[in-house]
Amino acid sequence: MAANTSELLPQLFRLEYSKMTAVLCRLFGLQHMETAEDIVSETFLKATEVWSAQGIPENPTAWLYTVAKNKTKDYLKHISIFETQVKGALTSGETQAEPDFDFNPQTISDSQLAMIFAVCNPANSAESQICLALQILCGFSVEEIADAFLSKTETIKKRLLRARSNLRNDNFQIRQLQEATIKERLDVVLRTLYLLFNEGYFSKSNNHLIRKDLCSEAIRLALILTEKPLTNTTQSNALLALMCFQSSRLDARANNEGETVLYEQQDKNLWSKELIEQGNYYLVNACSGNEVSKYHLEAGIAYWHTTPTDNNKWSHILQLYNQLILIEYSPMTALNRTFAFAKVYGHQPGIQEAEKLGLSNNSHYHSLLGYLYAETDTDKAIAHYQQAICLTKSTAEKKTLMKEINRLLL
């Protein structure tokens, strides 16, 4: 039974930790976020001890919520900080929480949504917001976050310490969100979830499980937005559609050796039909109004990438990139647009278009030129691939580029 406990508890921790923390932060306020996290951690520690000795209860999730609730009530009765600080906050009207609380589905859902908006604090950098989201909303450890960012654990600890300080000082209330608050922060929330997803999808980490977890957590949080009337906007649906389309190809993007598999070489049988269908559903919802955001355009591009080839596929993709680059320019968007341009007009015009960008310090720039030169000038192709290897930090990308060089040398 202990072996089953060791398998089940990490899964429950990832699923339930953030829910429990959100509800307790709603009760205590963000100023006492560490207290909420301590209670949740103690709950899981007790589960480890009890379940290993007595076996897994019939309803493990309910068991966890009962223990967390009892620990919280004990804390409210006996810990002096409640009498001197939290109780004072309650009577002053800073929070609306009552000691007699519950982990019911509505409270969990409302608390999670409020925590998403609290974590996406404009006072923190985008990178810090992602770190906070991973730790508080997703239950990632500092080590897992460091792996995702290819950073030292001490660097992540310092980043989180500063971000948490800003979060506590923000005086954001974890309660039923008001429309004005949602309008004020929704753009930041969407941006943070978009970047969180990209940390997984374009991860430089060689840990495939971490990459998939990042994408899954971003989708889970985006789903929360679409389930609430005030946050179920066309942009939220477009972002979720984009995530579904991109995630549908995750299993095909790397082989068993950990090498990146280029789009044209992917096994389409590994693409998830279920996620593609979900992407179609949310894309239709996103197109219910007249708004066209960057998320709409990127979702459209991702849609065409998961659609069987037709004569105009790359023309559609190029048109969408032409619009996207006007809304928000980035080197990656420009390079992806150039790839689509080469698909429509040929490799030689694509080379000319790529060289206009002048991104000589970008590994993806040299990867693209290596691909475009491969058919006509092997030496130049190899030179660009070698330059890309020197510039990239991704082990998987280095392997893929070396494979392309070896193919050209045959």
Side-chain angles (χ1 to χ4, degrees):
M1 189 61 73
N4 289 336
T5 298
S6 66
E7 292 171 8
L8 178 62
L9 269 174
Q11 297 172 21
L12 286 172
F13 184 86
R14 184 57 54 85
L15 289 170
E16 305 300 336
Y17 174 87
S18 64
K19 297 177 185 177
M20 297 162 77
T21 302
V23 172
L24 295 184
C25 282
R26 184 187 181 97
L27 177 67
F28 296 135
L30 287 174
Q31 294 83 355
H32 305 284
M33 181 168 55
E34 282 78 8
T35 300
E37 291 175 321
D38 286 345
I39 290 173
V40 178
S41 295
E42 287 170 12
T43 298
F44 278 93
L45 182 60
K46 184 171 182 178
T48 303
E49 296 168 352
V50 174
W51 296 4
S52 296
Q54 302 177 11
I56 298 171
E58 186 176 338
N59 190 332
T61 302
W63 189 97
L64 289 169
Y65 284 129
T66 299
V67 170
K69 184 174 180 178
N70 290 337
K71 282 184 175 292
T72 303
K73 285 187 173 182
D74 288 344
Y75 175 84
L76 294 176
K77 287 176 184 176
H78 303 298
I79 302 298
S80 61
I81 193 172
F82 173 70
E83 293 296 329
T84 58
Q85 297 180 37
V86 180
K87 191 173 181 180
L90 290 173
T91 55
S92 68
E94 288 184 18
T95 72
Q96 295 177 334
E98 293 294 336
D100 188 22
F101 74 102
D102 205 351
F103 289 100
N104 60 66
Q106 187 63 49
T107 301
I108 291 172
S109 177
D110 290 345
S111 301
Q112 278 195 294
L113 181 68
M115 279 299 285
I116 293 172
F117 277 77
V119 164
C120 297
N121 180 356
N124 286 320
S125 67
E127 221 166 36
S128 294
Q129 287 178 39
I130 297 170
C131 287
L132 270 183
L134 287 172
Q135 187 181 57
I136 297 173
L137 302 177
C138 308
F140 275 53
S141 68
V142 172
E143 290 75 19
E144 287 175 317
I145 298 170
D147 188 351
F149 278 88
L150 288 184
S151 297
K152 295 178 180 177
T153 53
E154 284 305 312
T155 302
I156 297 299
K157 283 179 182 177
K158 289 176 183 176
R159 188 179 297 166
L160 284 167
L161 193 64
R162 289 192 297 268
R164 279 173 169 269
S165 177
N166 287 334
L167 197 61
R168 284 191 298 270
N169 296 333
D170 189 39
N171 202 31
F172 190 92
Q173 302 302 313
I174 306 298
R175 58 173 68 166
Q176 191 75 32
L177 290 176
Q178 301 301 312
E179 188 172 357
T181 304
I182 288 172
K183 286 183 176 178
E184 182 182 310
R185 284 202 181 184
L186 185 56
D187 284 348
V188 178
V189 167
L190 293 174
R191 181 72 174 175
T192 301
L193 297 187
Y194 172 82
L195 293 173
L196 172 57
F197 181 85
N198 282 350
E199 280 299 324
Y201 194 74
F202 300 108
S203 176
K204 295 179 178 64
S205 169
N206 207 34
N207 187 332
H208 190 60
L209 289 177
I210 289 290
R211 291 172 59 192
K212 291 186 73 172
D213 278 353
L214 290 175
C215 293
S216 296
E217 287 299 313
I219 288 176
R220 181 181 66 80
L221 296 173
L223 271 169
I224 293 173
L225 297 184
T226 62
E227 290 167 354
K228 299 289 184 179
L230 288 176
T231 51
N232 185 28
T233 65
T234 57
Q235 283 201 52
S236 298
N237 279 274
L239 177 58
L240 187 50
L242 168 63
M243 291 177 178
C244 289
F245 286 135
Q246 297 284 59
S247 294
S248 71
R249 296 191 290 113
L250 269 177
D251 287 339
R253 292 180 75 235
N255 61 22
N256 294 332
E257 287 72 45
E259 299 168 339
T260 301
V261 180
L262 300 177
Y263 173 75
E264 293 172 326
Q265 298 167 8
Q266 289 175 12
D267 180 356
K268 294 180 176 59
N269 293 319
L270 295 177
W271 293 1
S272 168
K273 292 185 175 66
E274 182 183 355
L275 280 170
I276 292 171
E277 287 172 4
Q278 287 182 336
N280 289 332
Y281 171 80
Y282 290 109
L283 186 57
V284 169
N285 288 349
C287 296
S288 59
N290 297 320
E291 185 178 21
V292 178
S293 67
K294 65 167 285 180
Y295 306 119
H296 286 82
L297 296 172
E298 289 196 35
I301 291 166
Y303 160 79
W304 281 110
H305 275 89
T306 57
T307 302
T309 303
D310 67 26
N311 294 332
N312 297 315
K313 174 176 178 171
W314 288 104
S315 294
H316 291 308
I317 292 174
L318 179 58
Q319 288 171 19
L320 290 166
Y321 270 124
N322 288 341
Q323 295 177 64
L324 179 60
I325 211 161
L326 293 175
I327 290 179
E328 186 175 291
Y329 177 88
S330 74
M332 236 12 250
T333 301
L335 288 167
N336 288 334
R337 177 198 167 274
T338 304
F339 179 82
F341 182 91
K343 285 297 210 179
V344 175
Y345 297 107
H347 283 207
Q348 191 56 44
I351 291 169
Q352 295 169 3
E353 196 74 6
E355 289 175 343
K356 291 177 186 176
L357 301 176
L359 298 170
S360 56
N361 292 321
N362 186 306
S363 66
H364 299 293
Y365 170 78
H366 290 285
S367 295
L368 175 60
L369 282 172
Y371 167 78
L372 295 176
Y373 271 117
E375 291 183 356
T376 56
D377 193 326
T378 300
D379 291 341
K380 282 190 176 181
I382 291 173
H384 281 293
Y385 280 139
Q386 288 172 335
Q387 187 64 24
I389 290 171
C390 293
L391 291 170
T392 185
K393 295 179 181 178
S394 169
T395 304
E397 195 175 329
K398 287 178 190 287
K399 287 182 179 179
T400 303
L401 292 166
M402 276 306 304
K403 194 173 182 179
E404 288 302 302
I405 289 174
N406 291 334
R407 184 179 64 81
L408 290 172
L409 289 171
L410 290 177

